[in-house]
Structures are given as C-alpha cells and as structure tokens.
C-alpha cells in the first residue's frame, strides 16, 4: 500500500494535520494524482543536488502533462482547469530554483510518515501534544486578527489626517484673506462675524488635532501590546517548533503567517510615522498656545521609532539551520572543510529592501574556527519560491585554525562532540531615515573533523534541542540537565520516523526503556542523565546505548529500509519477550529483531517442536552490514537452510509472526528466483559450476551441544553437493560447527 493510501485512511484529526502543510507551494492535487511516482523518487537527495532537482522538476511537469491528457479525454473540465493552473504555478515558481520544490516535497513526505507513526501510537507524546496545543492555534488567529485591526485603524487615521490638512488649509486661506483687508474693513460687522467663524474653526482644528493624536496613540499602544505580548511570543514558539523539527519532530510551519503579521505591523507603524511627519508640516504652518501637536508629537515619534527598531531586530531569523548537504537529516553537525547551507529571512517584507541588505556570516569569536567561502550576500525576493526577503549561504566551510588544532590534538571525539559553537549573522537596515543594526545566530552547532564523530555529535544536538530553549547556551554541556524518559522515548521514535520512514510503537519503546533503565514499575517520571544516554557503556557491552541505536538506524537505512517501512521487522524485542510471543505459534513461525550484543546487527528467531513435543527456539548469528551488502536480507530469509541430523538442508522459516506466510510478506523484495542446488554436470560457463550463495546453519540436537544454531557464511549449494559426495558426515559437521551466538 502506498504511503498516500495509508494517509487517506487516517482519522480526521490526523487528516487535518496533513492538510496544514499542503498549499500552493505543493498542491495536494499533485500529491494525490502522482502519489506512486512521487514516492518512488529520491527528493531528499535532490534537495541538495541541483542537476538532479532540475531533472525531477522536468519529470514532474511531464507527469502532469500526462495527467492532463488523460483528464482531457474524460472531459473533466474542473480538473483540467485546476491542473493547467497548477502546472503553470509550479513551473513559474521553481524554474529558477528546482531544489526548493525538492525540499518541500521531501518535507511533506517526511511529515506524512511522522503523522502515520503518531497515528499508530496509542497516546500522543508530551512534546507533540504541547506543540499542537489548541491554545497556540487560538493565539495565532488572535494575532492575525489584531494585526488586521491595527492596519485598519492606521488607514482610518490616514483619512483623519487628510481631513485635518484640508481643514487647516481652509482656515489658513480665511485667515490670510482677513489679514489682507484694509484696517477700516476689519472693523465691519461682517468682518467680526468672520473672526468669530475663524475662532470656531481654530477650536475645531484643536479638537481634531487632539482626536488624531489620540487615535495615533491608540494605534501605537495596540502595536506595543501586540508586539511584546503576542507577536514575539508567537515568534518564540515558532523557534521552539523549529528546534523540535530539527531533531525529527513535527514539521514546523507558520513562518509565512508570521511574516505577514510582521510586515503588516511594520507598514502600519511606518504609516503612523508618516502621519506624524505630516503633523509636523502642519505645525510649521500653524501653532498656538497649548498646541497638542507640539506637546505630544515628539514622544509619539520616539515610541514609533522604538517599536520599529525592536520589530526589525526581532524579524531577522534563521529560516533553515546550518546543515551539510551530504547529511540533510543531521542539521547543526558540521564537518571541517565541508560545505554547509543556511538560510535567513527578514520577516518584514518591503519592496524597498530588495537587494539593499547585505548579510555577513561569522563563527563564534573564540578564534578556533573560521568560515571559508562566500560569507557576504545580499537579501532578495527573487531566490525564494514564496517571494520572501531572504538569503541562502550555500558555500560556507568551517576551518579549524592550525594553532588551535595543535592544542586540541589530544582530545577524543567525545570531547569534541560536546563543544558547542554558533554561526552568527549581521547586517544593517536603513529605510525612511531609520537605521537598525541587525544580528542573529544559529542554534548551537557541533564541529567534527571525522565522519566517525557524527553519531555522538548528533546525540549532542538531540539532547540540547530537547532540553534547552536558550538558543545561545554554548556552555550547556558543562552541566547537562536530565531528561524525562517519556520525552526521550518520543524523540527516539522521531529518529526512526524521520530518518527511516517508520516510528516506534509502544511495545518497541518499552523495550528501549528497559534497555536504558532496566526493569522499572513506571518510566513516565524517570529522569535520565546525559551520561546514561550517550557516554556510559551498556551493562556487559563495549558500547553506549546511543551508539547501539544509531548503528541500527544506519543498518535500516542502508540495507532493510523497505522491510522496516512496511512493518515486517519487530526489531526491538528482548529475547525473553520473543520466546513468549513464539511459544504458542505454529512451528516455523519466526520474527525479526535487532541484535542486543552486536552493533548494527539483525537476527531472526523461529520456533519448532521436537518429536516429543518440546518447544524449541533457534536464533541465528546476527547479520551485519558487511554480510547484507553481499546478500539482500529478503533473499536470506527465502534461501536460509539448516542442516539437520540426516544432512538434508531445509528452510525452517514458514510464517512471519504472527501468522503471515513468508513469501506473502517478503515476496516482493526478492531480488531473484529461489536458488536451486546445481551439480557440476549441469553445465556452467567455461566449465565452471554456476555459483549462488545461500545461508546455511548446522543444528545439532546432541545433549552436549547448545540448542541454537550459528549462522555461517554463505555456501555455494553446488559446493555443498560436491562436499557430500567426497567428505564424511563427521568432517562436514566439524567444518560447519562454530561458536553459537549468545544473542
């Protein structure tokens, strides 16, 4: 079943989440019509490979053309209209930046997988529940409503200022007319009436000036409250959602909405600023004792400038955190001398600023590292598909200074991966006489000099962003706080949903909890230390919990991904639990689990019965990435053989737990036809016996031998046939024997 088919079967509350991240940037109609084709492409790789992204965009448009031809034959006018509009939209948006649509589609597919994983969980995790709190959504709507109200108030005040200007011009005309009259004419009754009229107009002017200033004060007060109590809080929430998304959590959204609010508020404040300047012009033409403009305008102008200053400073954000294109799902881990990308946005989108803001990138000032590459670029509205005022640095490289590198040469990878750094950006905005210096910094990054340090570096990124909301706490690991186990388990499930397409269910998470904490009555409030997670070895093992888990993620990604995504790998189940599960099942029932004693290993255990009805369990020696590179795991399950006492090899694997026929579960993953034993007389190329590889184990039921087999290296079936002809059973038995796995 395709991923999109699974999405369509979700409950309405999950479908509403899906609806949030499909818009004109990537319409849901395209996702629906091209579901299978979209899921078969590597959008993640294309998001950092422009030639590949260009080809995928062209193929996407070709696929849409084919759909257009199909619906044209069906004479579906509405669908024809929508598809033509969508095709034109996508071509126009992404023709100059095809990697952007690759990023969008990759994120959408990833978020679908996360929602599918969340839907399979009996209880929503605490972090995700907090992020999707209905109060947050209500505040977002409240912010948008208040910004629109402020914009409308500023527009209404504009009309009041215009009326005041017209009224003052009329007053000025009448006053100058009287002043031009002869002295005798000024004493006439008519003139006295005119003077009374002028006084009434002056009173009206004074009232209107006070009224306009009061309205401006109200707009400024509302802007102040909105910005400091709601808008900045909403921005902080977005930054927190970005942190969580960086470590595999729900896709963060809402930046476009924030940009709209910031821009509207800035436009409103600039409008009030122009209105205050207009009042200053009126003041130069007419003033009097107690003039409210003279008394109030300087203070109001100071407040407007202060609000604009703070609004601009808050609007300079990191839209996409630093990330190496080679490891798109491991952001904030940077390798020296390897390029990384980072994108910034100014949330105040004004046309006057296009190409006028030059941003400079630097690294924290400890002078241990420097940035190489293009580190000064101009913000513009042309590179982003949504027209935002942004800049993307694509060719920055961190370089370690030689003098510093020499002093740090004796540090191990563990020390390096707990050292946090920050990429900083600075610029200056000058607009309408207002000049503001802007600066912002990335979330803390970890520098590595070797890819082998990546797992521990990523663990540092997870721990920091899970537990710290302070984006600049570079001394975090001087005294790292503890995490509740419920928080950590949720984040661990995200690692699987974001990196390998399927999260963990409650049973799998319980096994990980036992792995971390041992047998506990309740895990919910248990506090887990950083050392327990990443530094201390597991009991009786030579590796940490995190290294063990990261090796499993790597194994899934590179060798057994389709089997994992389709849910055929139970994976995280203890040896004790697997025996409970298999005990009452049909002989030949098996399950797949990850090795607890071997890094990056997967094994299978099956159940059978002896002649006297005794239940027996057999576990093979774990397969690691080296052996899975030579032989696909699905083929191993199909061709696996055991040699019993009568030396007749047979496949003991019949049903995937609980009762799925093996070929039904894995048939679509087989890479070739089932292997048959060939004999030398059956031909071959230039006199050679056709060679295939099959995994074979030897089971001995002698009372002196262990009761679980060891899985040997693959043996050519033709070689086995020859061996049985020329060697005695005792010799073969000795050759096939090896230490049994304790796993």
């Amino acid at each position: 079943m395709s991923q999109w088919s699974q999405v369509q079967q979700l409950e309405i509350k999950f479908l509403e989440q899906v609806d949030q991240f499909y818009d004109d940037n990537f319409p849901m109609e395209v996702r629906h019509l091209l579901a299978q084709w979209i899921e078969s492409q590597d959008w993640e790789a294309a998001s950092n490979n422009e030639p590949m992204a260009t080809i995928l965009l062209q193929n996407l448009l070709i696929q849409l053309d084919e759909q257009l031809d199909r619906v044209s034959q069906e004479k579906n006018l509405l669908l024809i209209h929508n598809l033509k509009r969508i095709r034109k939209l996508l071509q126009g948006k992404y023709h100059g930046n095809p990697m952007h649509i690759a990023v969008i589609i990759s994120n959408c597919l990833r978020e679908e997988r996360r929602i599918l994983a969340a839907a399979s969980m009996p209880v929503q995790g605490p972090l995700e529940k907090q992020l999707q709190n209905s109060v947050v959504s209500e505040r977002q709507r409240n912010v948008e409503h208040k910004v629109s109200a402020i914009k409308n108030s500023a527009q209404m005040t504009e009309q009041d200022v215009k009326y005041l200007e017209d009224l003052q011009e009329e007053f000025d005309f009448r006053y100058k007319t009287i002043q031009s009259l002869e002295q005798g004419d000024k004493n006439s009754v008519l003139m006295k009436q005119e003077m009374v009229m002028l006084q009434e107009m002056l009173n009206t002017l004074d009232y209107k000036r006070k009224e306009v200033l009061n309205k401006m004060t109200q707009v400024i007060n509302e802007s102040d409250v909105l910005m400091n109590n709601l808008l900045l809080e909403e921005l902080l929430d977005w930054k927190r959602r970005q942190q969580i998304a960086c470590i595999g959590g729900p896709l963060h959204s809402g930046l476009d909405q924030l940009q709209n609010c910031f821009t509207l508020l800035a436009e409103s404040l600039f409008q009030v600023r122009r209105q205050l300047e207009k009042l200053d012009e009126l003041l130069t033409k007419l003033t009097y004792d107690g003039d409210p403009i003279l008394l109030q305008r300087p203070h109001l102008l100071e407040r407007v400038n202060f609000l604009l200053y703070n609004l601009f400073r808050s609007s300079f954000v990191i839209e996409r955190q630093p990330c190496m294109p080679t490891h798109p799902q491991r952001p904030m881990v940077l390798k020296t001398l390897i390029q990384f990308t980072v994108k910034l946005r100014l949330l105040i989108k004004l046309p006057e600023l296009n190409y006028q803001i030059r941003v400079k990138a630097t690294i924290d000032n400890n002078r241990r590292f420097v940035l190489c590459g293009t580190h000064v670029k101009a913000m513009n509205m042309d590179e982003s598909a949504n027209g935002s005022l942004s800049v993307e640095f694509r060719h920055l490289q961190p370089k370690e200074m030689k003098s510093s590198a020499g002093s740090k040469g004796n540090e191990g990878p563990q020390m390096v991966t707990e050292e946090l750094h920050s990429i900083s950006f600075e610029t200056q905005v000058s607009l309408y006489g207002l000049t503001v210096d802007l600066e912002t910094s990335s979330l803390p990054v970890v520098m590595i000099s070797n890819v082998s340090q990546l797992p521990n570096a990523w663990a540092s990124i997870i721990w920091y962003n899970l537990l710290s909301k302070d984006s600049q706490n570079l001394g975090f690991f001087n005294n790292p706080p503890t995490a509740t186990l419920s928080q950590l388990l949720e984040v661990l499930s995200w690692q699987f949903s974001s990196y390998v397409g399927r999260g963990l269910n409650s049973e799998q998470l319980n096994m990980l909890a036992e792995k971390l904490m041992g047998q506990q009555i309740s895990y919910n409030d248990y506090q887990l230390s950083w050392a327990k997670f990443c530094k201390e070895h597991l009991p009786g093992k030579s590796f940490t919990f995190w290294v063990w888990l990261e090796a499993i993620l790597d194994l899934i990604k590179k060798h057994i991904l389709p089997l994992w995504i389709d849910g055929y790998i139970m994976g995280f189940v203890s040896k004790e639990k697997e025996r409970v599960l298999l005990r009452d099942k049909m002989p030949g029932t098996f399950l797949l689990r990850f090795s607890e004693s071997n890094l990056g290993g997967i094994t299978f255990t099956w159940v059978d019965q002896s002649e006297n009805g005794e239940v027996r369990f057999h576990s093979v020696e774990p397969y690691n990435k080296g052996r899975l590179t030579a032989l696909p795991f699905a083929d191993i399950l199909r061709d696996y053989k055991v040699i019993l006492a009568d030396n007749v090899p047979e496949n003991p694997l019949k049903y995937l737990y609980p009762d799925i026929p093996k070929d039904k579960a894995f048939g679509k993953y087989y890479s070739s036809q089932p292997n048959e034993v060939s004999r030398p007389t059956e031909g071959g190329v230039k006199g050679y016996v056709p060679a295939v590889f099959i995994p074979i184990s030897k089971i001995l039921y002698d009372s002196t031998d262990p009761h679980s087999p060891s899985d040997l290296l693959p043996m050519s079936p033709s070689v086995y046939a020859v061996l049985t002809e020329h060697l005695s059973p005792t010799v073969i038995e000795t050759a096939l024997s090896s230490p049994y796995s304790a796993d």
Side-chain angles (χ1 to χ4, degrees), residues 247 327 330-334 411-420 444-465 476-477 495 530-537 542-551 553 599:
I247 56 173
H327 295 82
R330 296 290 185 263
M332 284 98 76
V333 177
L334 306 180
E411 291 183 352
Q414 188 68 37
M415 178 67 70
V416 173
T417 57
E418 292 179 8
E419 185 177 303
L420 300 177
V445 300
V446 175
M447 298 293 184
I448 62 175
S449 57
N450 192 291
V451 176
S452 64
Q453 299 168 334
L454 183 61
N456 281 338
W458 180 240
S460 298
I461 296 298
I462 290 175
W463 203 261
Y464 181 93
N465 289 285
F476 175 84
F477 284 103
Q495 303 312 297
W530 164 244
K532 188 83 171 178
F533 175 65
C534 188
K535 300 180 73 173
E536 297 174 0
H537 287 178
S542 61
F543 45 81
T544 65
F545 170 84
W546 173 251
V547 168
W548 171 72
L549 197 69
E550 177 75 8
L553 283 164
L599 283 179

Side-chain angles (χ1 to χ4, degrees), residues 269-286:
L269 289 172
F270 272 121
Q271 190 168 18
V272 171
R273 197 167 179 265
R274 288 192 297 271
Q275 292 165 4
L276 288 169
E277 291 172 355
K278 175 58 68 174
L279 291 184
D280 189 46
E281 293 178 12
L282 297 179
L283 181 67
T284 59
K285 296 178 181 178
L286 174 65

Side-chain angles (χ1 to χ4, degrees), residues 692-729:
V692 292
F693 289 92
I694 59 173
I696 299 177
S697 293
K698 174 74 172 180
I699 295 184
L700 301 175
Y701 290 120
D702 186 271
S703 59
T704 61
D705 293 318
H707 281 249
S708 61
S710 175
D711 184 33
L712 304 184
L713 291 174
M715 176 188 292
S716 166
S718 54
V719 171
Y720 175 75
V722 173
L723 287 176
T724 58
E725 290 184 355
H726 295 88
L727 298 177
S728 68

Side-chain angles (χ1 to χ4, degrees), residues 282-305:
L282 297 179
L283 181 67
T284 59
K285 296 178 181 178
L286 174 65
T287 188
Y288 47 87
D289 291 340
D291 188 343
I293 296 179
L294 191 63
L295 296 174
Q296 298 182 42
R297 179 189 169 278
H299 176 63
L300 292 179
L301 183 60
E302 182 180 351
R303 288 190 65 194
V304 169
N305 286 339

Side-chain angles (χ1 to χ4, degrees), residues 53-94:
T54 301
I55 293 172
L56 279 182
L57 176 59
Q58 292 172 349
N59 290 340
L60 176 64
L61 296 176
I62 290 172
Q63 291 286 330
L64 284 176
D65 288 337
E66 292 177 357
Q67 290 294 326
L68 263 172
D69 291 340
R70 180 182 62 80
V71 298
S72 296
Q73 295 174 3
E74 298 173 0
K75 298 182 179 180
N76 188 332
L77 183 60
L78 180 60
L79 190 54
I80 292 172
H81 173 79
N82 287 338
L83 283 180
K84 285 183 177 180
R85 181 186 62 83
I86 289 170
R87 191 196 185 288
K88 183 178 180 181
L89 178 73
L90 295 180
Q91 187 172 24
K93 273 193 171 188
Y94 303 115

